[in-house]
């Protein structure tokens, strides 16, 4: 046998073919139906909004990390995912310059200050949205009607507001979201409208059905921890069923709670962010339960019609505490010594 | 100028032929010395001297004798072949082991993907031998001693201890067959079954090969073409070779050859995204993610004192699953050797 140059590697010599960039890319891909539906419902305005936040996130990632590292970091697709998710939490007609600021904040304050991907305490997209909600409370709660005529030829005027000026008044009739309609006027929305997205709302929160499909796909491919959406939605469903059965007039139906607002998007795509959720399975269940509980508390007894964002951010803050405080069972350690050795 | 090579005491195992051990009349000590004289070591891959393993420490008793028929790694099928073809030797070896250890229970553990071997052994099992055959789910690294003890007895081997701590002795099935074949005739070990496989090998299979055969000669016989990487052992824990002019040893359980397409080129490493895949994969439920971060910070002592670094037996599952391509087990190997050196220094 002739001499050959042999490659020397340390074991293992095999590798599971699932890399971080592949996972992130698949999450983005699974959101394409949701994005497409948003464009169908709200027209080119939605497309502009998604493009704006994504561009803001990618540009911020690139600039903050420096030229070389920035290039490498963008290949992991996480900045794109943050941009897409942020856009999906915003109302159509949201001024684009504000959305751009939101994208920059998501990456800079949500991720970069903690040390980049893997180090962030909170979901970056939600950090961006929380800042926008605090800074622009009116713009972020101005909703437009869905399926408006001419939505593919005309941009919703408020989108093009010049920075730091009063938003242009919308011509279209502002539509209340199902949750605010119920909260303030006790008007329920038909379940089929909620599930298939024929309601007002943020870009990605109207079509719960497509979000579930994306979630199931990621769950089957093991790119998402199924326990989180199941835990959150299960908690919300159980608690609201109890409330609804006790008083169907005061409390919304469980269907309405599950399929309205940002719950589906939050439970499937936001709370499942691997970086900001707990590591251990017990931790995951507690985390999901707390988020579900907070969603119900804020929506029903809080001052806001929607509480998914704050519930998940609170859950994120809880995650490191859960990781530290849940005893980690290590093989071959007697139970007496177990508690000392936490993850 | 000369070089003085000092051998590690237990690594020297001189083969002494011609002293047959008669099963009926031999004492436990005679069987142990027979095994030592035959030069038998663990053939699963670790090559630990079998007579040392069978010497039960003072104050301990052997309750469970477990014969390991779980292949130690994917790709390898040596144990499988031995179980299909050498039943008589296995049961003869088992008689010697039972006599040497007088265990309360004897098990043979086999994974469910080797049902044919399980049935074959069941069929050839002598009626007077009280052996329980256990069919186990397929799960790497179940062939590791501690994992097998837990899978069969439900007992966990305490951290930092050997299986005898819970009364278990684990012997590989090929080692058992070797004992059964050699001891009655007073012969020494000369050959072993080796799986030769991988995309770079034309005639894949299990071969009975004389110990000491050069690797290059073997690869010529099996038609190795266009190979880029060769490793001895399995794909999870095997060691790459830099040179083909090396001999087969008692511990060589497999030879795997990869073509350039299969070798893992230097893959881009991403940040840890805390996905938890390594925690799920670790058979000891360690926290490889945390250990990896500590290794990068060179906090080796903390890794050992708080995170059980020294329990890691380097199965490689964490590196295999990590989506960010972080070389976790590679870090742990280096960290372990540093910790061991520091501990040895502290002692002296």
């Amino acid at each position: 046998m002739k001499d050959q140059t042999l490659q020397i590697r340390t074991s293992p010599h095999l590798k599971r073919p699932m890399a971080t960039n592949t996972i992130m890319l698949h999450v983005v891909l699974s959101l394409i139906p949701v994005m497409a539906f948003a464009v169908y419902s709200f027209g080119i305005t939605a497309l502009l909004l998604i493009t704006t936040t994504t561009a803001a996130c990618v540009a911020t990632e690139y600039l903050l990390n420096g030229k070389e590292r920035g290039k490498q970091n963008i290949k992991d697709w996480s900045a794109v995912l943050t941009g897409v998710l942020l856009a999906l939490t915003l109302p159509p007609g949201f001024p684009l310059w504000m959305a751009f600021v939101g994208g920059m904040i998501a990456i800079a304050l949500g991720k970069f200050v903690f040390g980049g991907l893997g180090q962030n305490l909170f979901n970056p997209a939600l950090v961006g949205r929380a800042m926008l909600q605090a800074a622009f409370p009116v713009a972020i709660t101005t909703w437009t009607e869905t399926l408006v005529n001419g939505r593919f030829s005309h941009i919703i005027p408020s989108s093009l507001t010049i920075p730091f000026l009063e938003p242009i008044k919308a011509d279209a009739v502002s539509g209340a979201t199902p949750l605010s309609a119920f909260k303030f006027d006790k008007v329920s929305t038909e379940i089929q409208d909620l599930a298939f997205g024929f309601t007002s709302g943020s870009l990605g929160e109207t079509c719960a059905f497509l979000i579930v499909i994306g979630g199931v796909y990621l769950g089957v491919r093991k790119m998402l921890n199924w326990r989180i959406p199941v835990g959150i939605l299960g908690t919300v469903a159980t608690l609201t069923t109890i409330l609804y059965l006790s008083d169907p007039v005061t409390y919304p139906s469980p269907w309405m709670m599950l399929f309205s607002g940002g719950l589906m998007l939050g439970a499937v795509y936001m709370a499942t962010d691997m970086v900001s959720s707990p590591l251990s399975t017990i931790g995951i269940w507690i985390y999901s339960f707390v988020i579900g509980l907070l969603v119900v508390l804020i929506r029903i007894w809080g001052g806001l019609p929607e509480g998914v964002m704050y519930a998940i951010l609170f859950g994120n803050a809880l995650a490191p505490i859960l990781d530290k405080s849940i005893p980690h069972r290590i093989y071959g350690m007697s139970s007496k010594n177990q508690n000392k050795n936490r993850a | 100028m000369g070089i003085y090579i000092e051998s590690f005491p237990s690594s020297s195992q001189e083969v002494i032929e011609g002293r047959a051990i008669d099963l009926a009349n031999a004492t436990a000590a005679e069987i142990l010395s027979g095994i030592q004289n035959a030069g038998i070591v663990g053939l699963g891959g670790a090559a630990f001297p079998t007579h040392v393993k069978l010497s039960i420490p003072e104050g301990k008793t052997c309750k469970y004798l477990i014969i390991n028929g779980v292949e130690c790694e994917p790709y390898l099928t040596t144990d499988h072949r031995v179980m299909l073809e050498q039943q008589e030797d296995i049961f003869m070896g088992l008689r010697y082991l039972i006599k040497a250890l007088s265990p309360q229970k004897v098990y043979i553990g086999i994974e469910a993907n080797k049902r044919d071997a399980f049935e074959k052994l069941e069929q050839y099992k002598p009626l007077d031998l009280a052996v329980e055959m256990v069919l186990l789910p397929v799960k790497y690294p179940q062939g590791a001693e501690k994992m097998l003890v837990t899978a069969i007895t439900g007992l966990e081997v305490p951290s930092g201890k050997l299986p005898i701590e819970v009364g278990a002795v684990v012997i590989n099935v090929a080692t058992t067959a070797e004992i059964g074949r050699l001891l009655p005739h007073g012969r020494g070990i000369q050959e072993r079954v080796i799986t030769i496989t991988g995309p770079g090998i034309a005639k894949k299979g299990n071969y009975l090969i004389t110990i000491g055969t050069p690797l290059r000669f073997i690869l010529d016989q099996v038609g190795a073409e266009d190979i880029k990487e060769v490793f001895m052992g399995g794909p999870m824990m095997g060691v790459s070779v830099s040179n083909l002019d090396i001999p087969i040893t008692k511990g060589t359980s497999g030879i795997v050859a990869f073509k350039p397409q299969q070798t893992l080129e230097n893959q881009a490493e991403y940040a840890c995204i805390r996905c938890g895949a390594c925690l799920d994969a670790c058979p000891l439920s360690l926290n490889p993610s945390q250990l990896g971060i500590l290794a990068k910070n060179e906090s080796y002592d903390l890794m050992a004192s708080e995170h059980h670094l020294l329990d890691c037996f380097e199965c490689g599952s964490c590196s295999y699953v990590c989506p960010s391509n972080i070389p976790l087990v590679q870090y742990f190997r280096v960290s372990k050797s540093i910790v061991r050196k520091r501990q040895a220094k502290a002692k002296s």
Side-chain angles (χ1 to χ4, degrees):
Chain A
M1 193 172 137
K2 66 179 197 302
D3 272 311
Q4 264 149 324
T5 314
L6 292 173
Q7 187 184 335
I8 313 270
R9 275 193 91 257
T10 51
S11 61
H13 305 279
L14 297 177
K15 182 87 195 162
R16 183 170 68 163
M18 196 204 286
T20 294
N21 56 342
T22 322
I23 297 177
M24 297 284 176
L25 178 62
H26 277 261
V27 178
V28 174
L29 291 178
S30 75
L31 279 167
I32 285 180
V34 181
M35 289 190 271
F37 188 81
V39 175
Y40 166 72
S41 315
F42 302 111
I44 43 171
T45 317
L47 191 62
L48 275 176
L49 195 55
I50 295 169
T51 316
T52 306
T53 52
T54 309
C57 287
V58 172
T60 313
E61 176 92 34
Y62 183 76
L63 290 175
L64 286 181
N65 283 293
K67 229 176 167 181
E68 279 311 304
R69 247 188 90 205
K71 260 186 203 157
Q72 170 65 27
N73 286 10
I74 283 157
K75 282 187 197 147
D76 68 27
W77 284 92
S78 64
V80 174
L81 180 59
T82 301
V84 170
L85 283 176
L86 175 64
L88 292 178
T89 65
L90 297 174
F94 189 70
L96 294 178
W97 76 270
M98 294 181 187
F100 196 89
V101 171
M104 282 164 42
I105 290 169
I107 295 293
L109 279 187
K111 200 161 95 172
F112 185 76
V113 291
F114 291 102
L117 180 64
Q119 308 293 324
N120 46 300
L121 188 56
F122 300 101
N123 184 322
L126 286 181
V127 171
R129 191 186 192 276
M131 281 296 279
L132 291 178
Q133 175 136 15
F136 313 111
V138 176
I140 211 162
T141 48
T142 304
W143 314 95
T144 48
E145 289 284 350
T146 177
L147 304 171
V148 180
N149 283 333
R151 61 188 185 280
F152 295 113
S153 52
H154 292 89
I155 298 168
I156 300 171
S158 57
S159 291
L160 301 174
T161 309
I162 299 160
F164 307 110
L165 289 183
E166 277 288 303
I168 301 158
K169 289 279 176 279
D171 300 338
V173 188
S174 292
T177 65
L179 276 176
S180 56
F182 187 87
K183 179 133 200 149
F184 303 121
D185 307 317
K186 294 284 175 233
V187 178
S188 287
T189 310
E190 290 293 325
I191 174 68
Q192 56 267 37
D193 285 350
L194 289 172
F196 297 105
F198 301 110
T199 61
S200 291
S202 299
L203 293 193
E205 64 178 46
T206 58
C207 189
F209 177 68
L210 289 174
I211 297 171
V212 172
I213 291 180
V216 168
Y217 168 77
L218 293 176
V220 169
R221 297 283 314 259
K222 298 208 160 132
M223 292 172 173
L224 166 153
N225 192 333
W226 59 269
R227 295 175 185 89
I228 296 175
V230 168
I232 295 176
L233 299 173
T235 306
V236 171
T238 314
L239 293 177
T240 46
T241 306
I242 296 169
L243 290 172
Y244 184 67
L245 291 179
S246 73
D247 185 355
V249 181
T250 318
Y251 300 113
S253 75
W255 292 114
M256 162 114 186
M257 283 290 272
L258 282 180
F259 289 102
S260 63
L263 181 61
M264 209 51 91
L265 187 72
V268 175
Y269 283 100
M270 305 280 199
T272 48
D273 175 21
M274 290 166 173
V275 179
S276 49
S277 56
L279 282 170
S280 69
T281 304
I282 308 167
I284 291 276
W285 284 120
I286 298 175
Y287 166 86
S288 316
F289 170 75
V290 168
I291 292 175
L293 179 70
L294 281 171
V295 167
V296 174
L297 288 179
I298 297 173
R299 279 188 180 180
I300 294 183
W301 288 290
L304 298 165
E306 177 58 308
V308 172
M309 177 181 77
Y310 292 120
I312 294 173
L313 287 173
F314 184 85
N316 290 163
L318 199 62
I321 304 170
L322 287 172
D323 278 341
K324 279 214 160 55
S325 56
I326 294 170
H328 182 62
R329 175 94 186 73
I330 291 173
Y331 178 94
M333 295 295 299
S334 65
S335 53
K336 208 174 70 185
N337 294 332
Q338 285 287 342
N339 293 341
K340 271 198 327 204
N341 301 288
R342 287 164 182 165
Chain B
M1 199 175 80
I3 298 171
Y4 177 69
I5 299 172
E6 191 179 11
S7 71
F8 193 66
S10 69
S11 69
S12 135
Q13 204 171 6
E14 193 187 351
V15 175
I16 302 168
E17 306 227 7
R19 294 185 192 165
I21 306 291
D22 177 24
L23 177 67
N25 303 316
T27 63
E30 281 167 349
I31 294 174
L32 251 59
S33 84
I35 290 171
Q36 181 173 10
N37 288 343
I40 294 171
V41 300
L43 297 179
F48 188 77
T50 305
H51 68 278
V52 179
K53 201 179 208 178
L54 294 175
S55 310
I56 308 298
E58 198 85 24
K60 301 271 187 298
T61 48
C62 172
K63 287 186 215 153
Y64 315 101
L65 169 62
I66 299 170
I67 303 303
N68 187 350
V70 177
E71 212 71 56
C72 60
E73 288 213 37
Y75 281 39
L76 303 189
T77 47
T78 57
D79 292 348
H80 192 184
R81 280 329 299 179
V82 166
M83 287 189 286
L84 286 176
E85 293 170 16
Q86 307 179 3
Q87 298 87 12
E88 283 176 24
D89 292 336
I90 292 172
F91 287 115
M92 178 54 79
L94 197 50
R95 286 181 195 277
Y96 279 99
L97 288 173
I98 291 171
K99 190 132 196 208
L101 295 170
S102 358
Q104 292 165 10
K105 284 239 19 139
V106 182
Y107 299 96
I108 300 180
I110 299 171
E111 283 188 344
N113 59 355
K114 301 177 195 72
R115 190 170 279 276
D116 50 348
F118 182 87
E119 279 158 9
K120 201 97 186 223
L121 283 181
E122 195 71 75
Q123 182 192 334
Y124 279 81
K125 190 169 83 178
L127 293 172
D128 61 318
L129 268 186
V131 182
E132 190 181 323
M133 307 269 294
V134 188
L135 202 60
L136 299 159
V138 184
K139 192 173 190 243
Y140 176 81
Q142 195 159 236
E145 277 195 342
K146 287 184 172 185
M147 299 298 105
L148 188 61
V149 169
T150 307
I152 289 184
T153 66
L155 299 169
E156 281 190 10
V157 181
S159 167
K161 297 281 167 47
L162 294 170
I164 192 64
E165 196 71 16
V166 293
V169 173
V170 183
I171 301 288
N172 172 272
V173 71
T175 313
T176 310
E178 210 61 37
I179 293 171
R181 183 161 46 247
L182 300 179
L183 259 59
H185 311 289
R187 281 164 42 209
I189 187 166
Q190 285 173 355
E191 51 197 15
R192 63 157 300 151
V193 179
I194 299 175
T195 302
I196 303 177
T197 187
I201 304 284
K203 290 180 252 172
K204 301 181 183 67
N206 284 286
Y207 294 85
L208 191 61
I209 296 179
T210 309
I211 289 157
T213 310
L215 184 56
R216 185 186 295 275
F217 177 80
I218 296 171
L219 289 176
D220 279 338
Q221 308 305 309
V222 296
E225 285 270 330
D226 185 28
I227 52 175
K228 184 74 185 166
E229 190 185 353
V230 179
F231 45 90
M232 305 265 234
M236 296 300 284
M237 296 175 74
V239 181
S240 299
V241 298
S242 57
N243 188 335
L244 298 180
D245 297 307
I246 52 168
I248 293 307
T249 67
K250 294 175 194 172
T252 309
S253 49
I255 300 168
V256 184
F258 277 178
K259 290 186 173 189
Q261 302 91 285
Q262 286 89 33
T263 54
L264 299 171
E265 292 301 330
N266 292 331
Q267 295 163 308
E269 186 181 329
Y270 297 98
C272 168
I273 52 167
R274 292 170 41 88
C275 66
C278 54
L279 277 89
D280 293 339
C282 181
L284 298 178
S285 310
L286 302 179
N287 186 340
S289 152
Q290 186 68 32
L291 279 166
I293 293 166
L294 289 173
K296 275 190 190 173
N297 293 339
E298 304 183 8
S299 309
Y300 305 117
D301 296 321
L302 193 63
M303 290 168 78
S305 62
E306 294 290 317
H307 296 276
H308 305 270
L309 171 70
L310 296 181
D311 280 351
C312 167
F313 59 87
E314 301 168 22
C315 68
S317 302
C318 49
S319 293
Y320 173 77
V321 297
C322 180
S324 288
N325 301 326
I326 301 170
L328 292 165
V329 75
Q330 290 87 338
Y331 278 139
F332 306 155
R333 278 192 203 113
V334 175
S335 309
K336 277 170 77 175
S337 75
I338 292 171
V339 168
R340 290 228 172 89
K341 256 181 215 159
R342 284 186 187 170
Q343 286 180 349
K345 216 176 200 178
K347 258 183 204 166
S348 64

